[in-house]
Amino acid sequence: MLVLVSYDVSFEEPDGKRRLRKIAKVCENFGQRVQYSVFECVVEPAQWVQLRHRLLEAYDEERDSLRFYFLGKNWQRRVEQHGSGTAYDPETDALIL
Amino acid sequence: MLVLVSYDVSFEEPDGKRRLRKIAKVCENFGQRVQYSVFECVVEPAQWVQLRHRLLEAYDEERDSLRFYFLGKNWQRRVEQHGSGTAYDPETDALIL
C-alpha cells in the first residue's frame, strides 16, 4: 500500500534541523522524497507499523506536525503530479533503496 | 471528495514568493492549510475542475512541484494526524470559508 507522509518541523529551536534530518532519514528507508517535506512510501502492513513507530519517536509532538495519508493498493489512480521533480514509480523504485 | 494538494515552490527567483502567495490563496478558497505546503480540500467534481485549473495556472512548471492526491468520499479513515496544528473537520470547516 502507499502511505503519504508529510511533516512540518519547527525551526524555532536548534533541535528542529536535527529532527528534520532524522525524520527524512527514517522516511528514506521506506520510500522516496517527492517534495521537500513529502514522502511516498510503499509498505506492507508490518513495515508500516515499523515506519510509523520510528516517525512518532523522531518528531516533537509539541512543535512538529506529522500527517499520514493512506492511499491503498490501487494508489496509482489517486496520484497526479505536475511540474519539476522526478517522475517515478515507488513500487519499483522501492526495490532499489 | 477530499483532494490533498501539496506543492514545493522554488525560491531561487523573486517570483517564487509571489507564486507561493498566489497558490496559497487559491487553495484557501477551497480548503484548509494543514501544513506549510499542504492543503486538504473538500470539493465536488465541478469545484475540483476549477481548483485544478487555477493551480495549474498559478504554478511554474519548470521550477515548482505540484501534487494532487485523491482520497475519495470516505477520506476520514485515510488520514492520521499527529503533533501540532489544529484538528479540524474539512467537511464542516469548508462551509465557513
Side-chain angles (χ1 to χ4, degrees), chain A residues 80-91:
Chain A
E80 188 179 322
Q81 169 191 331
H82 297 273
S84 64
T86 313
Y88 76 100
D89 180 344
E91 292 275 15

Side-chain angles (χ1 to χ4, degrees), chain A residues 50-90:
Chain A
Q50 192 183 357
L51 173 56
R52 182 178 180 276
H53 178 72
R54 288 189 188 178
L55 289 169
L56 293 177
E57 270 188 340
Y59 95 120
D60 183 327
E61 69 175 330
E62 299 291 326
R63 295 180 179 82
D64 307 334
S65 166
L66 189 58
R67 301 180 79 88
F68 308 134
Y69 298 91
F70 305 100
L71 291 149
K73 286 186 178 177
N74 298 315
W75 53 266
Q76 285 91 343
R77 66 185 173 86
R78 295 183 177 276
V79 183
E80 188 179 322
Q81 169 191 331
H82 297 273
S84 64
T86 313
Y88 76 100
D89 180 344

Side-chain angles (χ1 to χ4, degrees), chain B residues 1-70:
Chain B
M1 64 178 181
L2 183 71
V3 181
L4 187 77
V5 175
S6 71
Y7 61 86
D8 269 355
V9 175
S10 168
F11 287 110
E12 288 175 9
E13 299 183 17
D15 271 359
K17 285 192 180 175
R18 187 185 56 77
R19 289 200 307 280
L20 175 62
R21 283 196 299 272
K22 189 170 181 182
I23 285 172
K25 198 172 175 182
V26 170
C27 282
E28 282 168 349
N29 282 333
F30 292 89
Q32 183 148 338
R33 198 171 203 160
V34 293
Q35 290 184 345
Y36 181 69
S37 62
V38 178
F39 286 81
E40 289 180 2
C41 304
V42 176
V43 286
E44 296 301 319
Q47 290 176 307
W48 170 240
V49 171
Q50 193 182 357
L51 172 57
R52 182 177 179 278
H53 177 73
R54 288 190 189 178
L55 289 169
L56 293 177
E57 270 190 339
Y59 94 120
D60 183 327
E61 69 176 330
E62 298 290 327
R63 294 179 178 83
D64 307 333
S65 167
L66 189 57
R67 300 180 79 87
F68 308 135
Y69 297 92
F70 305 100

